[in-house]
Short mmCIF file of all heavy atoms in Angstrom, two decimals:
data_model
loop_
_atom_site.label_atom_id
_atom_site.label_comp_id
_atom_site.label_asym_id
_atom_site.label_seq_id
_atom_site.Cartn_x
_atom_site.Cartn_y
_atom_site.Cartn_z
N ALA A 986 -9.35 -6.39 -8.02
CA ALA A 986 -10.75 -6.73 -7.88
C ALA A 986 -11.40 -6.71 -9.25
O ALA A 986 -11.00 -5.97 -10.16
CB ALA A 986 -11.48 -5.77 -6.96
N PRO A 987 -12.44 -7.54 -9.47
CA PRO A 987 -13.14 -7.54 -10.75
C PRO A 987 -13.61 -6.16 -11.14
O PRO A 987 -14.26 -5.47 -10.32
CB PRO A 987 -14.26 -8.49 -10.55
CG PRO A 987 -13.82 -9.38 -9.45
CD PRO A 987 -13.01 -8.53 -8.52
N GLY A 988 -13.33 -5.74 -12.36
CA GLY A 988 -13.80 -4.47 -12.85
C GLY A 988 -13.01 -3.25 -12.32
O GLY A 988 -13.40 -2.12 -12.64
N LYS A 989 -11.94 -3.46 -11.59
CA LYS A 989 -11.19 -2.40 -11.04
C LYS A 989 -9.75 -2.45 -11.50
O LYS A 989 -9.26 -3.51 -11.94
CB LYS A 989 -11.26 -2.43 -9.51
CG LYS A 989 -12.61 -2.20 -8.93
CD LYS A 989 -12.58 -2.19 -7.41
CE LYS A 989 -13.95 -1.99 -6.78
NZ LYS A 989 -13.89 -1.99 -5.33
N GLU A 990 -9.08 -1.31 -11.41
CA GLU A 990 -7.67 -1.27 -11.74
C GLU A 990 -6.85 -1.92 -10.61
O GLU A 990 -7.23 -1.89 -9.48
CB GLU A 990 -7.22 0.19 -11.91
CG GLU A 990 -7.83 0.86 -13.11
CD GLU A 990 -7.32 0.29 -14.42
OE1 GLU A 990 -6.12 0.07 -14.51
OE2 GLU A 990 -8.12 0.07 -15.32
N ARG A 991 -5.72 -2.47 -11.02
CA ARG A 991 -4.76 -3.00 -10.03
C ARG A 991 -4.31 -1.87 -9.13
O ARG A 991 -4.00 -0.75 -9.54
CB ARG A 991 -3.58 -3.62 -10.73
CG ARG A 991 -2.56 -4.26 -9.80
CD ARG A 991 -1.52 -5.03 -10.62
NE ARG A 991 -0.94 -4.20 -11.67
CZ ARG A 991 -0.16 -4.68 -12.62
NH1 ARG A 991 0.12 -5.98 -12.68
NH2 ARG A 991 0.33 -3.85 -13.52
N GLU A 992 -4.32 -2.14 -7.83
CA GLU A 992 -4.06 -1.09 -6.83
C GLU A 992 -2.90 -1.53 -5.94
O GLU A 992 -2.86 -2.64 -5.42
CB GLU A 992 -5.33 -0.86 -6.00
CG GLU A 992 -5.15 0.17 -4.89
CD GLU A 992 -6.38 0.35 -4.06
OE1 GLU A 992 -7.19 -0.60 -3.99
OE2 GLU A 992 -6.54 1.44 -3.48
N CYS A 993 -2.00 -0.59 -5.71
CA CYS A 993 -0.97 -0.85 -4.71
C CYS A 993 -1.59 -0.57 -3.33
O CYS A 993 -2.10 0.52 -3.08
CB CYS A 993 0.23 0.13 -4.92
SG CYS A 993 1.53 -0.07 -3.71
N VAL A 994 -1.56 -1.56 -2.48
CA VAL A 994 -2.17 -1.47 -1.16
C VAL A 994 -1.21 -0.93 -0.17
O VAL A 994 -1.51 0.02 0.57
CB VAL A 994 -2.68 -2.86 -0.70
CG1 VAL A 994 -3.29 -2.78 0.71
CG2 VAL A 994 -3.71 -3.37 -1.71
N ALA A 995 -0.03 -1.50 -0.09
CA ALA A 995 0.96 -1.09 0.90
C ALA A 995 2.31 -1.60 0.47
O ALA A 995 2.43 -2.67 -0.14
CB ALA A 995 0.60 -1.60 2.30
N THR A 996 3.33 -0.88 0.83
CA THR A 996 4.72 -1.32 0.56
C THR A 996 5.57 -1.08 1.77
O THR A 996 5.27 -0.25 2.65
CB THR A 996 5.30 -0.60 -0.66
OG1 THR A 996 5.53 0.77 -0.37
CG2 THR A 996 4.43 -0.72 -1.90
N ILE A 997 6.73 -1.74 1.80
CA ILE A 997 7.63 -1.68 2.92
C ILE A 997 9.05 -1.81 2.41
O ILE A 997 9.34 -2.65 1.52
CB ILE A 997 7.27 -2.73 4.00
CG1 ILE A 997 8.12 -2.58 5.26
CG2 ILE A 997 7.40 -4.13 3.43
CD1 ILE A 997 7.60 -3.37 6.45
N SER A 998 9.93 -0.97 2.89
CA SER A 998 11.30 -1.00 2.45
C SER A 998 12.03 -2.25 2.96
O SER A 998 11.52 -2.96 3.86
CB SER A 998 12.06 0.27 2.87
OG SER A 998 12.04 0.40 4.29
N TRP A 999 13.21 -2.48 2.49
CA TRP A 999 13.94 -3.70 2.77
C TRP A 999 14.16 -3.90 4.25
O TRP A 999 14.20 -5.04 4.73
CB TRP A 999 15.31 -3.70 2.05
CG TRP A 999 16.25 -2.65 2.55
CD1 TRP A 999 16.37 -1.34 2.15
CD2 TRP A 999 17.24 -2.80 3.58
NE1 TRP A 999 17.37 -0.72 2.82
CE2 TRP A 999 17.92 -1.57 3.71
CE3 TRP A 999 17.64 -3.85 4.37
CZ2 TRP A 999 18.94 -1.36 4.64
CZ3 TRP A 999 18.66 -3.67 5.30
CH2 TRP A 999 19.31 -2.45 5.41
N ASN A 1000 14.30 -2.81 5.01
CA ASN A 1000 14.51 -2.90 6.47
C ASN A 1000 13.30 -2.52 7.26
O ASN A 1000 13.40 -2.46 8.50
CB ASN A 1000 15.71 -2.03 6.85
CG ASN A 1000 15.48 -0.55 6.59
OD1 ASN A 1000 14.46 -0.19 5.93
ND2 ASN A 1000 16.34 0.28 7.07
N GLY A 1001 12.17 -2.34 6.62
CA GLY A 1001 10.96 -1.96 7.31
C GLY A 1001 10.90 -0.49 7.74
O GLY A 1001 9.96 -0.10 8.43
N GLY A 1002 11.89 0.31 7.32
CA GLY A 1002 11.98 1.67 7.78
C GLY A 1002 11.06 2.64 7.11
O GLY A 1002 10.74 3.71 7.65
N GLN A 1003 10.58 2.33 5.94
CA GLN A 1003 9.71 3.24 5.17
C GLN A 1003 8.44 2.44 4.74
O GLN A 1003 8.57 1.37 4.16
CB GLN A 1003 10.41 3.82 3.96
CG GLN A 1003 11.53 4.73 4.31
CD GLN A 1003 11.11 6.02 4.97
OE1 GLN A 1003 9.97 6.48 4.76
NE2 GLN A 1003 11.95 6.59 5.81
N LEU A 1004 7.27 2.98 5.03
CA LEU A 1004 6.05 2.36 4.68
C LEU A 1004 5.24 3.27 3.78
O LEU A 1004 5.31 4.48 3.81
CB LEU A 1004 5.23 2.10 5.98
CG LEU A 1004 5.95 1.37 7.09
CD1 LEU A 1004 4.99 1.22 8.29
CD2 LEU A 1004 6.47 0.01 6.66
N TYR A 1005 4.42 2.62 2.97
CA TYR A 1005 3.49 3.35 2.11
C TYR A 1005 2.10 2.64 2.20
O TYR A 1005 2.05 1.42 2.17
CB TYR A 1005 3.95 3.37 0.67
CG TYR A 1005 2.87 3.78 -0.32
CD1 TYR A 1005 2.63 5.12 -0.55
CD2 TYR A 1005 2.09 2.83 -0.97
CE1 TYR A 1005 1.63 5.52 -1.41
CE2 TYR A 1005 1.10 3.20 -1.83
CZ TYR A 1005 0.88 4.56 -2.08
OH TYR A 1005 -0.10 4.92 -2.94
N TYR A 1006 1.03 3.45 2.24
CA TYR A 1006 -0.31 2.90 2.23
C TYR A 1006 -1.17 3.63 1.22
O TYR A 1006 -1.04 4.85 1.07
CB TYR A 1006 -0.98 2.98 3.59
CG TYR A 1006 -0.34 2.19 4.67
CD1 TYR A 1006 0.54 2.73 5.57
CD2 TYR A 1006 -0.63 0.84 4.79
CE1 TYR A 1006 1.13 2.00 6.58
CE2 TYR A 1006 -0.07 0.04 5.79
CZ TYR A 1006 0.82 0.65 6.66
OH TYR A 1006 1.40 -0.11 7.67
N ALA A 1007 -2.02 2.91 0.55
CA ALA A 1007 -3.03 3.56 -0.27
C ALA A 1007 -3.98 4.30 0.61
O ALA A 1007 -4.26 3.91 1.77
CB ALA A 1007 -3.74 2.50 -1.11
N ASP A 1008 -4.53 5.39 0.08
CA ASP A 1008 -5.48 6.16 0.88
C ASP A 1008 -6.69 5.31 1.28
O ASP A 1008 -7.27 5.51 2.39
CB ASP A 1008 -5.98 7.38 0.07
CG ASP A 1008 -4.91 8.43 -0.05
OD1 ASP A 1008 -3.93 8.44 0.68
OD2 ASP A 1008 -5.06 9.28 -0.98
N SER A 1009 -7.02 4.37 0.47
CA SER A 1009 -8.22 3.58 0.71
C SER A 1009 -8.06 2.60 1.90
O SER A 1009 -9.07 2.15 2.42
CB SER A 1009 -8.57 2.75 -0.49
OG SER A 1009 -7.48 1.94 -0.91
N VAL A 1010 -6.84 2.36 2.35
CA VAL A 1010 -6.61 1.44 3.47
C VAL A 1010 -5.95 2.11 4.61
O VAL A 1010 -5.75 1.46 5.67
CB VAL A 1010 -5.82 0.17 3.02
CG1 VAL A 1010 -6.50 -0.50 1.82
CG2 VAL A 1010 -4.38 0.56 2.71
N GLN A 1011 -5.57 3.34 4.50
CA GLN A 1011 -4.91 4.07 5.55
C GLN A 1011 -5.68 3.97 6.84
O GLN A 1011 -6.86 4.26 6.89
CB GLN A 1011 -4.68 5.50 5.10
CG GLN A 1011 -3.83 6.36 6.07
CD GLN A 1011 -2.36 6.11 5.84
OE1 GLN A 1011 -1.65 5.58 6.67
NE2 GLN A 1011 -1.85 6.55 4.69
N GLY A 1012 -4.96 3.63 7.90
CA GLY A 1012 -5.59 3.52 9.23
C GLY A 1012 -6.26 2.21 9.51
O GLY A 1012 -6.65 1.95 10.68
N ARG A 1013 -6.45 1.37 8.51
CA ARG A 1013 -7.08 0.11 8.71
C ARG A 1013 -6.14 -1.08 8.50
O ARG A 1013 -6.32 -2.15 9.08
CB ARG A 1013 -8.27 -0.04 7.76
CG ARG A 1013 -9.34 0.98 7.92
CD ARG A 1013 -10.57 0.66 7.13
NE ARG A 1013 -10.29 0.69 5.70
CZ ARG A 1013 -10.36 -0.37 4.88
NH1 ARG A 1013 -10.71 -1.56 5.36
NH2 ARG A 1013 -10.07 -0.29 3.57
#
């Protein structure tokens, strides 16, 4: 976003078995 640092939003492993979410989007 303008004026903000690049942020990792979410990631997913090759088989979908492991997920990661940024705190800012968790639950949404």
Side-chain angles (χ1 to χ4, degrees):
K989 297 182 180 180
E990 294 291 317
R991 182 171 54 189
E992 179 183 25
C993 180
V994 177
T996 68
I997 186 167
S998 61
W999 67 272
N1000 63 350
Q1003 295 293 331
L1004 310 178
Y1005 166 84
Y1006 294 99
D1008 290 342
S1009 58
V1010 306
Q1011 187 81 247
R1013 300 187 298 115

